[in-house]
Amino acid sequence: MPDRPEVTAVEIARLAGVGRAAVSNWRRRHPDFPRPVGGTDSSPAFALTEVEAWLRSQGKIAELPLLERVWRLVETLRDPVGHPAAPLVRAGAVLLLHHREPDRWAALADQPDTRLATALPRALADTARTVFGPDADTGLGQPGLFGSTELDLARLLARLAAESGPDAAYEQLLTRYAEANTRQLSPTPPEAAELLAAVAGVPATALDPATGLGALLLALPCTTDRYGQDTDPVTTALARLRLALHAPADDPAPLPVDLRPGDALRADAYTGHTFDAVLCQPPYNERDWGHDELQFDRRWPGGLVPPRGESELAWVLHCLAHTRPGGLTALLLPPTVAARRAGRRVRAELLRSGALRAVVALPAGAAPPYGVPLHLWVLRAPRPGDDFRQVLMLDAAATSPGSAELAEGGRDKVRWPELRRTVLDAWRAFDLAAREGLPLPEDRPGRYRTVAAIDLLDDETDLSPARHVPPAAPPGGAAGLSHLGGRLTELLDGLADPGTLLPGPAADPAPGAGGGAGPVVTLGELVRSGLLEVHSSGAGAPTRPAGTDPSGTPVLTDQDLVTGAAPGAVLDRAAAEGTPLTRPGDVLVPALGGGVARVVGQGGPPAGAALGRQLHLLRPDPAALDPDFLAGHLRSTAAARRAASHASTTTRLDIRRVELPRLPITEQRRLGAAFARLAAFDATLQQAAALGHALAQAVTDALAAGTAEPPAAP
């Protein structure tokens, strides 16, 4: 076990808010940069205290963030032969003491270390018994003694709890743990968990048999008695503490939560128990899930054993077996589960029994793995005499003409408010009709359709919504097509008129404006002379999708800049403090690639946005450096060629090496106006291309559907 916290180059970059390449440059250029104290030649580790002192001496940070101090102590407490998250259980217990008994901590904090080392573990055990019940296995183990590092951690946790709140402090630590252990842990994001919980309604009891860090149970109302199981006992303890920290602090009764360790498929902890709702995002693509030893398990209807390669369907049947008649089951599953030939018999049984009620295709980025458009399956455990056999097919990932896109692709691009409204409105209308015997809602082409179960029973029994939801009609029929055509004509007419977007007739280039003749100045020299500020974002701060926090600060990413899209994510107020925000006249450039530079305002990126990942913000003094002139040269091929690093397959722009010709401000503005017109021309050209593609697709769909006649032959 290390006797002092260590950090890697990636973690140093996080502390300083720069890219990893900057840390490599510091090591080469500064002889006093701390020497490695561990790790390997390719991934060295450095002493945190030495790194912090060096960063402060160089003016790169004012003080190590409190969360980093806490996390480094947690890292220090890791036992090489134990579980990497074990220290987080103790940390959660300390935060739970702050949450439930802040006065008791205040009394303990005044004790000398020798007394605190024995008194604090007893206080943690007492609080755990109060919250979880006297007989509950809290995962805390024996109280024992706290060492000096654990006491330091407890005091820092007290500061973090006072600063952020005990529950928010624990969320930050769990987020860091999940980021550091992505291969072992892929927690369900809160937005996806809230969607599943909203589908379930307000159940009296609920089970998650693959609890993980408890995101699905946490999204349920506090009035719900929550049960769960997870293979990892330490993760189970973390989830239990997480739920306790989000429960009311003044509730004297034990928390209505029962989480048990164990493999839910092989060693079901709730055999014979049923619940009002079962929510689950099970592990995917497991070959060794217990196929051979569970051949005669009672959870398989009619003895229909899920195939060895269909572990997800085993989880579906497990969840359904624990759902009371009329209760609801909701699972997040890979899209292949709906179509793989090996699982067709199980899918057919779910249809014949009337259990399967809805399959919802979600956009990619809704939940891990973020590059896969997952499906949400909703089932109701059949009641005797229930002959309802209809399935709602909802394609929330549809991008056909006439359908509003609910995501642009990627984790930060899902429009959760619209997605949630689309899914819940369709599901609730369908479910109400099914339960009350009302007419089913009308189908909406391009979005959802109700399909009779018998129509899905064929050789494939493919339940993919995209296969069964008809495409949307072209927007507005003939009138809509005419409008698209008219708008495209307007754009093309504007492009054909050189006087509106293109510069005037060619003239002799001004000295220094053309092929490199004349004096030049680098952006680095302009920074040193105070005529230009440069802010770089590095990896960027953690964000949330736009729409989840109306008070959050919009965040521009490199992809937003390249595509010209509006900010798709936000920072909360705490994370945005001290972050430079865009102003009119700023110039934004992606750190990777080249040929893109946009001026804030003037129809470009918005003012008041924070920098997302891999962006440079350049703030020129407008009296000495014209923003459009600067942006135009940054878009030029020469700038990308001379100032970029081509050491790998990715081109990285070294912004300070970019050269500009030395020109009077009047000449800069003249050239800047021409650059601005060219940028507008390029943007209009891209808009026309997108509109032309949409029109061609809409006409193709209309002709294929028979809703339009082909034009007369020329």
Side-chain angles (χ1 to χ4, degrees):
M1 177 171 21
D3 57 0
R4 55 180 177 172
E6 297 176 359
V7 286
T8 64
V10 172
E11 290 165 331
I12 295 172
R14 184 206 295 266
L15 294 178
V18 298
R20 183 176 179 178
V23 179
S24 299
N25 288 334
W26 294 343
R27 292 185 64 195
R28 289 194 302 267
R29 295 169 52 193
H30 296 276
D32 61 337
F33 191 87
R35 313 298 294 178
V37 296
T40 64
D41 290 341
S42 59
S43 180
F46 306 84
L48 175 62
T49 53
E50 296 177 6
V51 169
E52 180 188 3
W54 188 87
L55 291 174
R56 294 178 68 178
S57 69
Q58 296 289 322
K60 301 185 185 300
I61 62 170
E63 184 179 7
L64 191 67
L66 182 56
L67 175 61
E68 289 296 330
R69 291 180 177 276
V70 172
W71 181 248
R72 295 308 156 197
L73 282 181
V74 169
E75 292 270 289
T76 301
L77 289 171
R78 284 186 177 181
D79 185 345
V81 299
H83 196 291
L88 284 179
V89 179
R90 283 292 178 98
V94 172
L95 291 169
L96 185 60
L97 176 64
H98 285 277
H99 179 57
R100 294 295 295 253
E101 301 182 83
D103 293 340
R104 186 169 184 179
W105 164 257
L108 289 172
D110 293 333
Q111 301 292 328
D113 284 1
T114 52
R115 297 191 62 181
L116 184 60
T118 56
L120 181 56
R122 285 198 298 268
L124 301 184
D126 291 345
T127 303
R129 282 192 291 269
T130 301
V131 175
F132 302 116
D135 301 322
D137 178 11
T138 63
L140 294 176
Q142 297 299 318
L145 288 171
F146 268 23
S148 59
T149 304
E150 290 173 303
L151 294 179
D152 290 342
L153 176 61
R155 291 191 170 94
L156 286 178
L157 285 168
R159 291 174 53 192
L160 191 61
E163 182 179 283
S164 306
D167 55 342
Y170 205 46
E171 290 298 313
Q172 295 174 52
L173 292 175
L174 292 179
T175 298
R176 291 299 300 272
Y177 172 63
E179 290 174 350
N181 296 273
T182 53
R183 293 186 178 181
Q184 292 78 30
L185 193 66
S186 298
T188 307
E191 298 85 3
E194 289 163 5
L195 177 61
L196 266 68
V199 167
V202 188
T205 59
L207 168 72
D208 180 357
T211 307
L213 292 177
L216 294 176
L217 295 179
L218 183 63
L220 289 163
C222 291
T223 55
T224 299
D225 289 348
R226 289 162 284 181
Y227 301 80
Q229 186 172 356
D230 193 89
T231 306
D232 187 344
V234 176
T235 303
T236 303
L238 296 179
R240 185 184 292 112
L241 287 162
R242 186 184 189 189
L243 292 168
L245 283 162
H246 283 270
D250 55 356
D251 190 349
L255 190 70
V257 172
D258 179 11
L259 304 185
R260 304 178 186 180
D263 185 333
L265 293 183
R266 285 190 170 94
D268 186 1
Y270 296 100
T271 301
H273 293 269
T274 58
F275 305 86
D276 296 309
V278 181
L279 308 181
C280 187
Q281 184 180 8
Y284 302 152
N285 300 319
E286 287 193 326
R287 302 291 297 183
D288 185 22
W289 57 267
H291 174 270
D292 294 341
E293 59 261 45
L294 297 175
Q295 288 290 308
F296 304 102
D297 199 278
R298 290 183 296 176
R299 291 169 288 184
W300 317 143
L304 185 60
V305 184
R308 187 185 303 276
E310 295 288 340
S311 63
E312 296 89 355
L313 287 176
W315 283 99
V316 172
L317 297 180
H318 171 82
C319 292
L320 193 59
H322 282 294
T323 309
R324 67 164 179 79
L328 182 141
T329 292
L331 302 97
L332 283 174
L333 299 172
T336 52
V337 180
R340 278 192 300 238
R341 187 171 179 81
R344 67 190 186 282
R345 293 180 60 207
V346 176
R347 296 195 296 270
E349 176 59 30
L350 295 173
L351 292 170
R352 292 191 190 97
S353 68
L356 185 64
R357 294 298 176 91
V359 179
V360 179
L362 300 174
Y370 290 104
V372 177
L374 298 179
H375 285 180
L376 167 59
W377 284 30
V378 186
L379 305 95
R380 281 205 180 275
R383 285 174 169 158
D386 185 355
D387 61 355
F388 185 82
R389 300 292 186 274
Q390 301 283 334
V391 180
L392 175 67
M393 292 287 176
L394 195 159
D395 191 359
T399 57
S400 55
S403 295
E405 294 188 30
L406 302 175
E408 299 171 17
R411 180 175 180 177
D412 297 332
K413 300 297 184 180
V414 177
R415 299 187 178 97
W416 278 106
E418 293 89 341
L419 176 61
R420 178 186 172 97
R421 183 167 54 252
T422 296
V423 173
L424 294 181
D425 286 353
W427 162 250
R428 287 169 176 167
F430 171 84
D431 189 48
L432 178 64
R435 289 185 287 109
E436 302 295 335
L438 302 173
L440 292 170
E442 293 185 4
D443 295 344
R444 180 182 166 189
R447 190 59 81 203
Y448 56 79
R449 176 191 175 199
T450 299
V451 185
I454 193 170
D455 294 335
L456 297 168
L457 293 168
D458 54 22
D459 290 341
E460 299 295 331
T461 314
D462 189 335
L463 303 179
S464 304
R467 181 169 178 174
H468 302 284
V469 177
L481 293 176
S482 177
H483 174 75
L484 281 177
R487 178 67 183 127
L488 179 59
T489 299
E490 291 176 8
L491 289 174
L492 294 176
D493 287 346
L495 290 169
D497 182 0
T500 58
L501 295 175
L502 289 172
D508 293 335
V520 297
V521 61
T522 66
L523 297 193
E525 291 171 321
L526 291 174
V527 170
R528 288 191 290 274
S529 63
L531 300 179
L532 178 69
E533 296 179 25
V534 175
H535 302 274
S536 300
S537 62
T543 62
R544 289 177 287 176
T548 58
D549 181 5
S551 65
T553 301
V555 179
L556 272 166
T557 66
D558 54 346
Q559 288 303 307
D560 294 332
L561 190 70
V562 170
T563 61
V570 295
L571 283 176
D572 58 33
R573 290 181 177 178
E577 288 184 6
T579 301
L581 303 181
T582 57
R583 302 177 189 169
D586 287 347
V587 178
L588 298 178
V589 187
L592 301 179
V596 177
R598 300 186 189 274
V599 180
V600 175
Q602 307 174 7
L611 295 187
R613 58 181 181 271
Q614 303 296 348
L615 277 182
H616 298 303
L617 182 153
L618 284 66
R619 181 165 293 158
D621 179 351
L625 182 59
D626 181 72
D628 289 307
F629 172 76
L630 172 61
H633 276 277
L634 287 167
R635 288 193 296 268
S636 71
T637 304
R641 184 178 66 249
R642 291 197 295 263
S645 167
H646 303 275
S648 66
T649 56
T650 301
T651 301
R652 179 179 292 274
L653 184 66
D654 186 344
I655 199 70
R656 294 173 185 260
R657 289 172 53 194
V658 173
E659 296 178 347
L660 297 179
R662 292 182 181 270
L663 294 175
I665 188 63
T666 53
E667 184 62 19
Q668 289 183 37
R669 289 169 180 160
R670 188 180 74 84
L671 287 170
F675 283 134
R677 290 195 299 271
L678 281 169
F681 174 81
D682 184 55
T684 305
L685 191 62
Q686 294 182 40
Q687 186 181 1
L691 190 60
H693 175 76
L695 177 60
Q697 186 64 57
V699 175
T700 299
D701 293 343
L703 291 173
T707 59
E709 288 292 327

XYZ file of all heavy atoms in Angstrom, residues 615-645:
231
model
N -11.067 22.384 -26.625
C -11.325 23.664 -27.295
C -10.309 24.711 -26.847
O -9.849 24.692 -25.701
C -12.737 24.179 -26.984
C -13.906 23.651 -27.806
C -15.189 24.334 -27.364
C -13.678 23.877 -29.282
N -9.986 25.637 -27.755
C -9.219 26.831 -27.428
C -10.134 28.039 -27.570
O -10.899 28.137 -28.535
C -8.031 27.017 -28.371
C -7.013 25.918 -28.318
N -6.369 25.558 -27.160
C -6.528 25.096 -29.296
C -5.521 24.572 -27.421
N -5.605 24.277 -28.705
N -10.057 28.957 -26.617
C -10.753 30.238 -26.707
C -9.699 31.324 -26.847
O -8.823 31.446 -25.993
C -11.632 30.469 -25.477
C -12.475 31.756 -25.448
C -13.712 31.547 -24.586
C -11.701 32.958 -24.910
N -9.807 32.104 -27.904
C -8.881 33.206 -28.154
C -9.654 34.512 -27.997
O -10.689 34.702 -28.640
C -8.286 33.120 -29.568
C -7.182 32.076 -29.809
C -7.713 30.659 -29.662
C -6.573 32.252 -31.196
N -9.132 35.395 -27.146
C -9.814 36.665 -26.870
C -8.885 37.812 -27.296
O -8.000 38.233 -26.531
C -10.189 36.752 -25.406
C -10.920 38.034 -25.005
C -11.561 37.858 -23.636
N -12.626 36.873 -23.681
C -13.078 36.203 -22.618
N -12.541 36.412 -21.425
N -14.067 35.338 -22.743
N -9.044 38.328 -28.526
C -8.138 39.384 -28.993
C -8.543 40.755 -28.462
O -9.712 40.999 -28.140
C -8.309 39.320 -30.517
C -9.706 38.815 -30.707
C -9.978 37.876 -29.564
N -7.565 41.638 -28.374
C -7.838 43.050 -28.110
C -8.344 43.640 -29.421
O -7.581 43.775 -30.388
C -6.552 43.753 -27.662
C -6.767 45.243 -27.402
O -7.858 45.765 -27.724
O -5.830 45.882 -26.894
N -9.648 44.001 -29.531
C -10.197 44.420 -30.832
C -9.562 45.681 -31.387
O -9.676 45.949 -32.585
C -11.686 44.624 -30.527
C -11.760 44.843 -29.050
C -10.648 44.042 -28.452
N -8.899 46.465 -30.537
C -8.250 47.674 -31.044
C -6.974 47.346 -31.807
O -6.483 48.177 -32.586
C -7.938 48.626 -29.890
N -6.423 46.129 -31.571
C -5.163 45.773 -32.216
C -5.261 44.532 -33.092
O -4.399 44.317 -33.952
C -4.077 45.553 -31.148
N -6.294 43.712 -32.876
C -6.393 42.441 -33.601
C -7.861 42.173 -33.917
O -8.681 42.011 -33.003
C -5.804 41.302 -32.754
C -5.775 39.911 -33.383
C -4.966 39.918 -34.677
C -5.168 38.900 -32.392
N -8.201 42.141 -35.205
C -9.592 41.940 -35.624
C -9.977 40.465 -35.490
O -9.253 39.588 -36.002
C -9.758 42.383 -37.080
C -11.188 42.226 -37.555
O -12.048 43.002 -37.116
O -11.436 41.287 -38.352
N -11.098 40.123 -34.823
C -11.481 38.714 -34.625
C -11.710 37.954 -35.930
O -11.286 36.798 -36.060
C -12.768 38.816 -33.804
C -12.706 40.147 -33.125
C -11.998 41.041 -34.086
N -12.363 38.567 -36.919
C -12.619 37.871 -38.180
C -11.326 37.641 -38.952
O -11.162 36.610 -39.621
C -13.607 38.674 -39.034
C -15.015 38.646 -38.466
O -15.523 37.533 -38.222
O -15.604 39.718 -38.256
N -10.409 38.584 -38.869
C -9.088 38.417 -39.487
C -8.368 37.230 -38.847
O -7.802 36.369 -39.539
C -8.302 39.719 -39.302
C -6.859 39.646 -39.715
C -6.495 39.668 -41.054
C -5.861 39.587 -38.748
C -5.160 39.621 -41.431
C -4.530 39.534 -39.126
C -4.173 39.556 -40.466
N -8.408 37.177 -37.517
C -7.771 36.068 -36.794
C -8.422 34.740 -37.166
O -7.732 33.753 -37.477
C -7.880 36.325 -35.285
C -7.433 35.190 -34.359
C -5.968 34.850 -34.574
C -7.679 35.590 -32.895
N -9.759 34.688 -37.147
C -10.468 33.439 -37.446
C -10.201 32.991 -38.877
O -10.033 31.792 -39.144
C -11.965 33.621 -37.214
N -10.156 33.930 -39.810
C -9.908 33.567 -41.196
C -8.558 32.901 -41.380
O -8.438 31.892 -42.094
N -7.514 33.437 -40.754
C -6.190 32.819 -40.874
C -6.140 31.461 -40.175
O -5.444 30.549 -40.630
C -5.121 33.761 -40.317
C -4.667 34.780 -41.319
N -3.719 34.529 -42.277
C -5.074 36.062 -41.529
C -3.537 35.606 -43.022
N -4.349 36.559 -42.592
N -6.874 31.306 -39.076
C -6.903 30.008 -38.401
C -7.591 28.950 -39.261
O -7.305 27.757 -39.135
C -7.621 30.136 -37.054
C -6.839 30.860 -35.960
C -7.750 31.216 -34.797
C -5.681 29.996 -35.476
N -8.510 29.370 -40.130
C -9.179 28.417 -41.021
C -8.344 28.073 -42.251
O -8.670 27.154 -42.998
C -10.536 28.979 -41.485
C -11.599 29.003 -40.417
C -12.980 29.276 -41.016
N -13.078 30.596 -41.619
C -13.498 31.683 -40.980
N -13.837 31.595 -39.690
N -13.577 32.848 -41.595
N -7.288 28.807 -42.455
C -6.513 28.608 -43.674
C -5.718 27.306 -43.611
O -5.362 26.812 -42.542
C -5.553 29.781 -43.898
O -4.497 29.759 -42.953
N -5.442 26.753 -44.782
C -4.658 25.522 -44.871
C -3.251 25.726 -44.329
O -2.676 24.841 -43.680
C -4.593 25.052 -46.336
O -5.920 24.901 -46.834
C -3.857 23.733 -46.459
N -2.687 26.900 -44.568
C -1.315 27.164 -44.129
C -1.197 27.108 -42.616
O -0.214 26.584 -42.073
C -0.860 28.527 -44.648
N -2.191 27.646 -41.909
C -2.131 27.635 -40.448
C -2.130 26.216 -39.924
O -1.350 25.851 -39.032
C -3.319 28.414 -39.871
N -3.013 25.362 -40.474
C -3.076 23.979 -40.020
C -1.792 23.224 -40.340
O -1.328 22.392 -39.567
C -4.279 23.280 -40.662
N -1.172 23.557 -41.493
C 0.027 22.834 -41.902
C 1.232 23.220 -41.053
O 2.022 22.375 -40.646
C 0.309 23.112 -43.389
C 1.493 22.309 -43.942
C 1.717 22.565 -45.420
N 2.146 23.942 -45.671
C 1.422 24.854 -46.276
N 0.194 24.552 -46.682
N 1.882 26.084 -46.474
N 1.384 24.510 -40.769
C 2.603 24.967 -40.097
C 2.520 24.875 -38.576
O 3.555 24.780 -37.921
C 2.903 26.418 -40.500
C 3.325 26.574 -41.943
C 3.988 27.923 -42.166
N 3.053 29.035 -41.949
C 2.394 29.649 -42.918
N 2.548 29.243 -44.173
N 1.577 30.646 -42.653
N 1.301 24.930 -38.005
C 1.195 25.015 -36.548
C 0.607 23.767 -35.916
O 0.302 23.763 -34.737
C 0.325 26.221 -36.162
N 0.450 22.711 -36.685
C -0.155 21.497 -36.143
C 0.900 20.429 -35.951
O 1.928 20.386 -36.634
C -1.258 20.993 -37.067
N 0.625 19.551 -34.984
C 1.480 18.397 -34.741
C 0.896 17.211 -35.484
O -0.292 16.920 -35.377
C 1.541 18.093 -33.236
O 2.108 16.823 -33.003
